[in-house]
Amino acid sequence: MKTSWRSASLVASAAAVLALTTACGQESGTSTGSQNVGATAAAGDYTVGGIGTGSGTGTATATAEAGQGAAAQTSTAGELNVSTNAELGNVLTDSAGLTLYRFDEDTAEPPKTNCDGDCATAWPPVPADDAEAGAGVDEALLGEVTRADGTKQLTIGGWPAYRYAKDTKAGDVAGQGVGGKWYALAPDGKKAKIADLPGLSTRKDPDLGEIVVDKNGMTVYRFMKDEAWPKPVSNCTGACLEKWPAVAPVATNDTKDVQKKGLMSFTRSDGVKQMTVNCSPIYTFAGDKEPGDTNGQGVGGTWYAVAPDGKPVGAPEE
């Protein structure tokens, strides 16, 4: 459903007003146009939050919760297998079905690991002992590297292999894209990449839960100073829009697992067409560099990732 609010008649009929209210008045009790939750930065300010970047280890939020999961992930790899993930395609797993990862700050030629200390707690190195190639895995790609503590770590195509402490069961891929430097291993040792995605879909973030992503797998955000009712209004313009690009219109049938009610586009005051979820304008963040980044979460106390029903994830209640 595509609606151009600019072209709507200023004198709407009672039926039209009722239809609009039904479509876009879903968040009862919330007046986003005047909401102020103690912002510490201007709308366009770049303040890193969410999953850690900079150091690239992605351990800032993971370490505190890692101990319990890491204990179960220090076992040997056993028979390596290929698992098919709906978003990433073929990924490499250990004998328990846990996803194996690689770290961009490591090197493959020669193999060298740069993940120690707290990093290795959040990302347990996979021991090389007893690792063997299962179906679909080339045995010639398996190797090992000696870590600083003298232990032997499994390598795939030269890349040191890790598990992620927040992956708790077979098939989990919570480590994909963390910090823009951690990626699931493809069977050939390369990075597993997100497959073609619909215009809008969802992914499970290890910290935020189910959130909306665009066709490139990038996190989608809401601006709490925008308006959704009785019609969408974006209050992010100029320099703000450079840091928070508007998501272009997406066909309803080009979405997956996103609430269809209130899923539409509108024409902004600057003439640009923008997509909404539950009638709230949506954006991406220039500070997110890779799929899985959530650096825009909580910025200025006014920017939040979007849940499948269009609500802002983690926003303080009024």
Side-chain angles (χ1 to χ4, degrees):
M1 173 181 177
K2 293 186 177 181
T3 304
S4 175
W5 297 107
R6 172 171 293 191
S7 62
S9 171
L10 294 177
V11 185
S13 66
V17 171
L18 178 60
L20 183 59
T21 302
T22 301
C24 294
Q26 305 307 316
E27 295 185 6
S28 59
T30 301
S31 178
T32 58
S34 59
Q35 180 165 349
N36 186 332
V37 290
T40 57
D45 285 351
Y46 175 31
T47 304
V48 175
I51 294 176
T53 56
S55 65
T57 60
T59 61
T61 57
T63 303
E65 302 173 22
Q68 199 172 18
Q73 299 194 32
T74 55
S75 60
T76 53
E79 184 178 82
L80 304 181
N81 295 291
V82 178
S83 175
T84 301
N85 179 274
E87 293 185 353
L88 302 176
N90 291 335
V91 299
L92 198 61
T93 62
D94 65 11
S95 58
L98 292 173
T99 303
L100 303 189
Y101 298 89
R102 51 175 278 182
F103 182 33
D104 276 358
E105 291 190 4
D106 288 347
T107 60
E109 297 180 1
K112 186 178 185 301
T113 173
N114 288 300
C115 179
D116 296 292
D118 286 344
C119 175
T121 301
W123 302 89
V126 179
D129 302 341
D130 95 339
E132 58 183 56
V137 182
D138 185 352
E139 186 176 4
L141 294 177
L142 306 189
E144 62 182 40
V145 61
T146 302
R147 296 178 55 79
D149 61 5
T151 59
K152 303 291 186 181
Q153 181 175 357
L154 175 68
T155 62
I156 311 295
W159 288 98
Y162 304 82
R163 301 182 182 100
Y164 185 40
K166 287 190 177 182
D167 284 349
T168 59
K169 63 182 183 301
D172 283 354
V173 289
Q176 175 68 12
V178 168
K181 291 179 183 277
W182 289 93
Y183 296 92
L185 272 162
D188 59 1
K190 295 180 180 179
K191 299 177 185 179
K193 296 181 179 179
I194 292 181
D196 291 338
L197 296 175
L200 289 176
S201 59
T202 65
R203 72 172 179 84
K204 187 174 182 180
D205 184 86
D207 297 309
L208 304 177
E210 203 76 13
I211 59 175
V212 179
V213 297
D214 70 1
K215 63 182 180 180
N216 298 312
M218 304 302 289
T219 302
V220 166
Y221 299 91
R222 275 187 55 177
F223 184 33
M224 300 305 292
K225 293 184 179 181
D226 283 349
E227 300 174 24
W229 187 90
K231 61 181 182 180
V233 175
S234 169
N235 289 307
C236 177
T237 59
C240 173
L241 201 60
E242 292 178 9
K243 293 184 178 181
W244 302 90
V247 174
V250 174
T252 302
N253 61 4
D254 190 25
T255 65
K256 181 180 180 183
D257 299 327
V258 179
Q259 178 178 289
K260 296 294 191 292
K261 193 174 184 179
L263 187 65
M264 63 183 71
S265 66
F266 73 103
T267 303
R268 298 164 45 87
S269 61
D270 55 13
V272 174
K273 291 187 179 296
Q274 183 172 2
M275 192 64 188
T276 73
V277 176
N278 197 14
C279 300
S280 292
I282 57 174
Y283 311 78
T284 53
F285 180 42
D288 287 344
K289 302 304 181 184
E290 300 282 350
D293 285 356
T294 55
N295 297 321
Q297 177 67 7
V299 167
T302 52
W303 291 93
Y304 295 92
V306 179
D309 61 1
K311 293 181 180 178
V313 178
E317 296 183 3
E318 289 188 310

